[in-house]
Amino acid sequence: MASQLEESWKKVLDQEFEKDYMLKLKLFLQNEKAEGKTIYPPNNLIFNAFNHTPFDKVKVVIIGQDPYHGKNQAHGLSFSVQKGVTIPPSLRSIYKELSEDITDFKQPKSGDLTKWADQGVLLLNATLTVNAGEPGSHQKKGWEEFTDEAIKQLSEKREGIVFLLWGKFAQSKAELIDEKKHYILKAAHPSPYSASFGFFGCKHFSKTNKILQENGKEPIDWQVE
């Protein structure tokens, strides 16, 4: 697994791969495959968020819970789906908020957020794999410890990162973040069930860019193709 990780992340997370929880997680994944389970995303995309957004390049973190469990959806970036796949409801809400928040934002045809990741937006799911058709099936198997450590390392070794915490689950990660060094913006989850209760109107995208510019950083171009 460690060999799949981008070099700058490997430096801060390499020790995790030898810990007991990770060895148990590897065994769990092997057993699921042996039982004929299809696991998403594909093996080469599990660490996609890290590989598109190196440790020293992270400017923004958006935390999701676990990958989409439908065919060809998940590709290792939270809230994002592969090109050609129908845009999921939560991402439609995100695009709706963007169209209200960012001048000239045009509704995208694609749900692929790789462009954000390549600009320094770490699209991090707490759990990095899932069984096909079984939402939440890989939760509490070890991934959360790994991704929590990633957040802790960013908090400890970097400064001025904007963390976007949408919904109660993401907001529970605030305890891992040093608010004296970083910025935390909270809102409701963009799911259709909660978006109207505090996600719409949060203006997190313009607020993020304002913070980045005030810290001498390039703002994010939120437009998706």
Side-chain angles (χ1 to χ4, degrees):
M1 275 187 177
S3 62
Q4 298 173 272
L5 202 60
E6 187 271 337
E7 283 302 316
S8 65
W9 278 107
K10 195 182 291 185
K11 286 178 183 176
V12 296
L13 293 175
D14 202 35
Q15 70 280 1
E16 297 302 303
F17 290 91
E18 302 305 320
K19 291 185 177 179
D20 187 54
Y21 81 84
M22 184 59 81
L23 300 177
K24 288 179 180 176
L25 173 59
K26 287 180 188 175
L27 185 60
F28 167 75
L29 293 172
Q30 289 168 359
N31 288 339
E32 292 297 279
K33 287 180 180 177
E35 290 177 12
K37 300 282 181 69
T38 298
I39 294 176
Y40 295 137
N43 198 50
N44 64 316
L45 296 178
I46 289 172
F47 296 106
N48 212 20
F50 300 97
N51 295 339
H52 275 278
T53 316
F55 184 80
D56 295 326
K57 304 292 185 186
V58 176
K59 296 193 282 189
V60 182
V61 179
I62 300 178
I63 297 174
Q65 193 155 3
D66 63 345
Y68 297 115
H69 54 88
K71 187 177 182 181
N72 297 327
Q73 286 185 306
H75 64 138
L77 305 177
S78 62
F79 294 101
S80 179
V81 290
Q82 299 185 59
K83 282 186 171 67
V85 175
T86 301
I87 297 170
S90 290
L91 186 52
R92 284 202 298 271
S93 295
I94 291 169
Y95 286 168
K96 180 180 177 182
E97 175 59 22
L98 271 162
S99 67
E100 297 290 330
D101 185 23
I102 301 293
T103 305
D104 298 330
F105 181 84
K106 297 179 177 64
Q107 284 295 324
K109 295 177 182 176
S110 169
D112 185 347
L113 305 180
T114 301
K115 181 182 172 185
W116 294 3
D118 290 337
Q119 294 178 78
V121 181
L122 181 67
L123 296 165
L124 183 65
N125 278 319
T127 302
L128 299 186
T129 55
V130 68
N131 285 342
E134 297 179 39
S137 50
H138 291 192
Q139 289 178 10
K140 299 180 181 175
K141 302 296 182 182
W143 278 130
E144 293 91 341
E145 290 182 59
F146 180 79
T147 53
D148 279 359
E149 184 61 26
I151 295 168
K152 289 176 190 174
Q153 290 290 330
L154 286 170
S155 177
E156 180 184 328
K157 295 177 178 172
R158 295 286 315 283
E159 288 187 15
I161 294 173
V162 184
F163 290 84
L164 303 184
L165 307 183
W166 299 334
K168 289 181 180 178
F169 176 80
Q171 288 165 19
S172 72
K173 304 298 180 179
E175 65 184 24
L176 307 174
I177 304 160
D178 185 348
E179 290 192 65
K180 294 176 183 175
K181 295 169 62 182
H182 303 282
Y183 303 87
I184 296 177
L185 301 181
K186 297 179 180 180
H189 194 278
S191 126
Y193 304 105
S194 55
S196 297
F197 298 97
F199 180 76
F200 293 140
C202 71
K203 299 191 180 297
H204 275 189
F205 305 99
S206 61
K207 287 177 181 177
T208 294
N209 279 350
K210 186 171 185 288
I211 291 167
L212 293 176
Q213 289 175 303
E214 286 172 349
N215 283 273
K217 299 177 183 178
E218 280 289 316
I220 305 299
D221 176 5
W222 297 107
Q223 186 61 58
V224 179
E225 302 304 322

